[in-house]
Amino acid sequence: MRPNSTQGAPPCSFVAVRRAPMTEPKFQIPSIDRLLQRADTLALIHRHGREPVVAALRAATARYRSEALAGLAASSVEAVSESLTVAAAKHLRSLTKPSLIPVFNLTGTVLHTNLGRAPLPEAALKAIAAVATQATNLEYSLEAGKRGDRDDHVASWLQRLTGAEAATVVNNNAAAVMLVLNTLARRRGVIVSRGELVEIGGSFRIPDVMAAAGSLMREVGTTNRVHLRDYEGAIDARTGLIMKIHTSNYRIEGFTAAVAESELAALARKSQIPFVVDLGSGTLLDFERFGLPREPTVQEAIRDGADLVMFSGDKLLGGPQAGIIAGRADLIKKLKKNPMTRALRVDKLTLASLGAVLPLYADPARAVKVIPALRLLTRPIAEIEATAREVLAPLQTALRSNVEIDLVACKSQIGSGALPVEQLPSCGVRLRPLTARVSSRAVETLAARFRGLPMPVIGRIHQGALVFDLRCLEDPREFIAQLGVLPP
Ligand SMILES: *Cc1c(COP(=O)(O)O)cnc(C)c1O
């Protein structure tokens, strides 16, 4: 039992015996009150607040006491006070260290879902900062002086850019799909091609989403081929929707047939059933104009007659996480009446951010420069090579002779399920650990060392080497600066 502890104290008579230990401890522990008067402790209080500091000092004191009892430490009160404060400061730092931090995405996958997808443009940050700490007109009409609609902050830009009559925004595209199915086809059939029953990753699988939304999936065609007559034959009195899903993360090649969106739209109109398109990574730009592989645009889907189009905000659009639904005004109105909308709605920060990103599309040539996701996707190979050369020597210095380092040509991916087959020519640095035997352990260890940096570096392991694709490293200064503290 610790000499000064009163916890679980035995009855008084017994305490009296224990109160006179054989040997008095030969160390002094400053009181918490005394520690709280130190200048460095006051600085800690200023930063963390009094309660956490007191708790940290108590914990440090208790630890010190047990160490001192074990004969591990004994020193002047001043030295003890200082070491207790230092220990408390260290503990408080680790407690308050943010868990979500920036990393270098050198995986070669530009829109990496695990790494947070699209980096936001400067304009979005400014817009977020402007509204984050103030009251806003989020759902308040300044003209009418009464309740407004949060979609109003982005709807007109969405209409202008997509050509749709109306638009609404929810938490992400999965939510958008869920809301559309649940509103327009609850307990009703949804006709969809068998070749489009995608799994996006995680738990988003079209058949499961349909079931969760309460829709009855009616698959038509075969894996590789579907015809207009298949859709036609499936329509009955219980049909709620015809749905097309952009198979963004795989491609069926060879003997294939699909039905054009314009034909599906015409069939749906004839049968008075809405036709909806889940575009996934919908873009507002003609990608071919910027030397990228073709990707269907939202405008095209609307023009081809889709009644509603759903797409993500943080994929090719390059904005915040959001699910955007654009299309017929009467259907958007119905969606907004579904009680689910309340559970799926976006907050003011998302709307501020999206509201700043959309106007950037007014000038496509400028958009590909100021929207980081698009800038990275269209980054000239010569620039990527120059960055690779710039980081080569600092990496060699940091790793000395234990790792063989060279430049390699590699392929970047767009990511987030977009355009899986096409890959973008890029340049990388390849790091191969020099070990007696080829071992996957050595390269895993090397990768872990880079993950241990203050701003972790995430690469890709390929054929026994760690590869850093430099496409997403636009300014290598910070990357180089921290190599000096690469963990052993
Ligand atoms: C990515 C994707 C989704 C899910 O979008 P989130 O914004 O990640 O929720 C749904 N459908 C398709 C076709 C997709 O590509």
Side-chain angles (χ1 to χ4, degrees), residues 18 32 104 120 127 147 197 203 226 285 298 335 346 356 404 417:
R18 299 280 298 193
I32 298 291
F104 286 107
L120 290 175
R147 201 198 152 130
L197 300 178
S203 53
V226 64
L285 286 185
V298 181
L335 297 180
V346 289
E404 188 178 44

Side-chain angles (χ1 to χ4, degrees), residues 104-127:
F104 286 107
N105 171 14
L106 306 190
T107 60
T109 301
V110 178
L111 298 169
H112 199 302
T113 299
N114 302 149
L115 303 182
R117 290 196 187 157
L120 290 175
E122 203 63 46
L125 301 193
K126 285 210 182 105

Side-chain angles (χ1 to χ4, degrees), residues 117 172-174 200 204 245-246 248 278 280-281 312 314-315:
R117 290 196 187 157
N172 57 13
N173 191 37
I200 306 297
F204 190 92
I245 299 144
H246 180 45
S248 49
D278 173 14
S281 53
S312 292
D314 56 353
K315 291 185 180 174

